[in-house]
Amino acid sequence: MGTRTGPSARTASGRLPRRLSPLALILALAASAPAARAQAPAPVVYRVSFPEPQHRYAQVEAVFAGVGAAPLEIRMSRASPGRYALHEFARHVFDVHAVDGRGRALAIERPNPHQWNVSGHDGMVRFGYRVYGDTVDGTFLAVDTTHAHMNMPATLVWARGMESRPVRIAFERPAGTAWRIATQLRPTGDPLTFTAANLQYLMDSPTEFSDFTLRTLTVWLPEGRAVPAARREATIRLALHHGGSEREADALIADIARVAREAGAVFGEFPDYDVGHFTFVADYLPYASGDGMEHRNSAVLTSSAALGDGVQRASLLGTIAHEFFHGWNTERIRPRSLEPFDFEDANMSGELWLAEGVTSYYESLLMHRAGLASLEDTAAEFGRTVDAVIRSPGRRFRSAVDMSRLAPFVDAARWVDRTNWENLYISYYTWGAALGLALDLSLRDRSGGRITLDDFMRLMWRRYGRPAPLVEGLVAVPYTLRGARDCLADVSGDPAFADAFFDRFVEGRDVADYEGLLGRAGLVLRRRSPGRTWLGDVAFAAGRRGVRLSGPAPLGSPIHRTGLDQDDEIVGLDGVVMRSAGDVDGVLRRRKPGDTIPVVFERRGGRVSGSLALEEDPALEVVPAERAGGALTGAQRAFRDAWLGEKGVGSLFP
Ligand SMILES: [Zn+2]
């Protein structure tokens, strides 16, 4: 932080202040964009080529024209839209040079690790560099002989003060390839040249350059709703870079259509995609990392799993459902805390439980409604979610809003020091999904099924998501936590209910009555391993003298109460010498919950004796009542069908 210039200095250099109100931001961008057509600013022009794709780098030239007298401050981003941790993309940039409009070499200063200051130019700066990248995911750059998979913040520099300028970007094929482009960037007459309205839109536009398989399909929602025909259809493109077959591509786009139809049915209409369609860029390659990343009109899907793998395919589809739902929730129903996206620092957001977590809840719902997940699998997923929130120690310290604000530390962030997240953190995906479940069931329960979470999402959509953007790449009306609370008050017709829900479960640290709520749908929340003897959810590894705790001891567990923690080694348990994790299990199998047994352990070179009060494993699961030896009542069946049943009825294809 110390090396960064202060906000006033940045404003003076022409960069938009980061925390303008949305209206002020729009006015600032609008003033410097089309309004001043008479002397429209010169676009920023990029040329991206791959002279040696086998060596995993891109060659980039960025041309900035109409540059003022002050040094041009050229930056690599530190964050990528949709990813909440800092990633310091400048570390992959090398072979940097700059010339002016007459080709004269320019001096480059390095005021901080992310920036190149260029001065002495004639009003034009041509900035050239190479950038290494070998990570296939939703954040980084990957170049090899099969593709260039470009996340723009990891690939392109930009210049302070030129954030609102239009952009033109041309890609050059590596010699001997017939690669094509898949992107949400606007096409031009040249199939390898694209435009973006401004930096926000450019950086939000991941681009796949390869010999991908393309499928295009239009999905329709049923008629009979008060929605214009254009809003009832969505054109979806799938650019698939994988080692699988054409038949797998056909099957995937068909399943995408099912999921998309169910997602559309939640809102009653599709977003008005800026470029007329939504693009999935899917790289299912053995050398890809598992990821899904949402953008305004596209999503990146990466995985080392193949479509031919039946088990993994369901999780690939779950990611597709999640990212497509983001087209409404997060990309358009967007928290003010993420708007505009900050390329110089982390955006901290207290609303990720709603933006990400509720999206994860809908991921489960859409998969079931689309017929792609069984009731048992869906119930099991709800069980894992509810179990994590009810039992995780992190709830003692932080609310779902607080957990959301930790995203810059946990969202694909990497550290070299140890952390205690096991005790201090609950994923906002998990907690938010649990809140979505609780809110949906509560609304249905208290209204006799008349009002649901879908109604809440629709109201959020009408207020925040649907208004057309005044500046491309930015939402017109981002929401706040207060706005979401007000939406719940309005949709439920009961401000006291909304206040209680937000105060207790969202901003507070209580958990809803999941047993009662799930029971309305004939789902049973119960102990997963009744009678099983337990000392805590601890990971053990072989130690030097005994069995080592390889992670923090879970707060509140028997082993934590006894005083053991990470790296302590159990050498004796219940009078038995401990050499492996299996030895611990052996003792637990012989003992009952409620028993107290002696333990001897080594801690930082000293030997400690204590006693361990064993308990019953508190882990929870959710199962359908009819699988738990019970019977489903008519009311439970009706509740369940209204909740989990298909909604997107009607023809798939025009
Ligand atoms: Zn997400």
Side-chain angles (χ1 to χ4, degrees), residues 50-78:
F50 308 92
E52 300 176 290
Q54 68 274 24
H55 294 308
R56 319 280 163 91
Y57 70 86
Q59 175 83 52
V60 181
E61 186 191 53
V63 181
F64 305 97
V67 183
L72 184 64
E73 299 177 353
I74 296 174
R75 304 269 308 178
M76 270 306 266
S77 299
R78 303 184 66 204

Side-chain angles (χ1 to χ4, degrees), residues 152-397:
M152 293 316 186
T155 310
L156 301 178
V157 295
W158 49 277
R160 279 189 181 154
M162 298 195 178
E163 292 89 340
S164 57
R165 288 202 186 186
V167 173
R168 194 169 180 85
I169 181 164
F171 302 94
E172 278 179 29
R173 290 188 180 105
T177 74
W179 288 0
R180 289 131 48 234
I181 291 282
T183 183
Q184 66 169 29
L185 291 166
R186 280 190 188 277
T188 66
D190 174 355
L192 296 185
T193 300
F194 296 82
T195 64
N198 50 48
L199 182 74
Q200 284 282 328
Y201 195 90
L202 174 72
M203 289 294 167
D204 190 47
S205 302
T207 298
E208 168 79 9
F209 195 17
S210 68
D211 190 12
F212 51 78
T213 299
L214 183 68
R215 292 289 184 278
T216 304
L217 176 116
T218 299
V219 185
W220 290 67
L221 289 175
E223 293 185 43
R225 297 171 191 270
V227 172
R231 282 294 184 102
R232 280 193 284 107
E233 66 171 69
T235 298
I236 299 171
R237 306 191 308 179
L238 166 66
L240 182 59
H241 178 198
H242 72 150
S245 67
E246 294 289 311
R247 260 191 48 214
E248 285 167 358
D250 292 337
L252 184 63
I253 191 76
D255 282 346
I256 287 176
R258 287 191 182 88
V259 165
R261 188 181 55 164
E262 289 301 330
V266 169
F267 293 94
E269 63 184 31
F270 291 98
D272 188 9
Y273 298 119
D274 302 74
V275 288
H277 43 65
F278 186 92
T279 302
F280 282 109
V281 170
D283 285 50
Y284 298 141
L285 303 163
Y287 44 92
S289 308
D291 202 2
M293 189 55 71
E294 71 278 9
H295 300 278
R296 263 188 82 79
N297 305 297
S298 63
V300 170
L301 312 163
T302 62
S303 177
S304 59
L307 288 169
D309 179 339
V311 177
Q312 297 286 353
R313 191 173 183 276
S315 100
L316 298 178
L317 283 168
T319 303
I320 285 167
H322 182 107
E323 305 311 330
F324 193 68
F325 196 81
H326 269 320
W328 292 269
N329 190 33
T330 303
E331 289 301 324
R332 288 173 177 78
I333 302 172
R334 189 161 179 82
R336 185 176 288 173
S337 48
L338 295 181
E339 192 77 353
F341 196 83
D342 193 337
F343 299 108
E344 301 205 16
D345 203 347
N347 286 71
M348 186 181 76
S349 172
E351 291 82 25
L352 295 183
W353 62 272
L354 174 50
E356 291 292 358
V358 170
T359 298
S360 285
Y361 168 66
Y362 271 101
E363 172 185 334
S364 301
L365 220 49
L366 299 182
M367 286 290 283
H368 189 276
R369 287 177 179 173
L372 298 168
S374 68
L375 177 64
E376 287 72 16
D377 288 348
T378 305
E381 180 62 28
F382 292 151
R384 284 188 290 274
T385 300
V386 167
D387 176 61
V389 174
I390 291 176
R391 294 202 303 119
S392 291
R395 200 160 53 76
R396 299 180 183 198
F397 305 105

Side-chain angles (χ1 to χ4, degrees), residues 552-589:
L555 256 171
S557 64
I559 201 162
H560 186 274
R561 281 201 300 275
T562 299
L564 280 90
D565 219 309
Q566 183 160 14
D567 288 342
D568 292 348
E569 294 191 9
I570 302 176
V571 292
L573 188 62
D574 202 16
V576 182
V577 174
M578 293 290 109
R579 292 200 182 80
S580 72
D583 295 337
V584 177
D585 289 339
V587 170
L588 294 180
R589 274 197 301 272

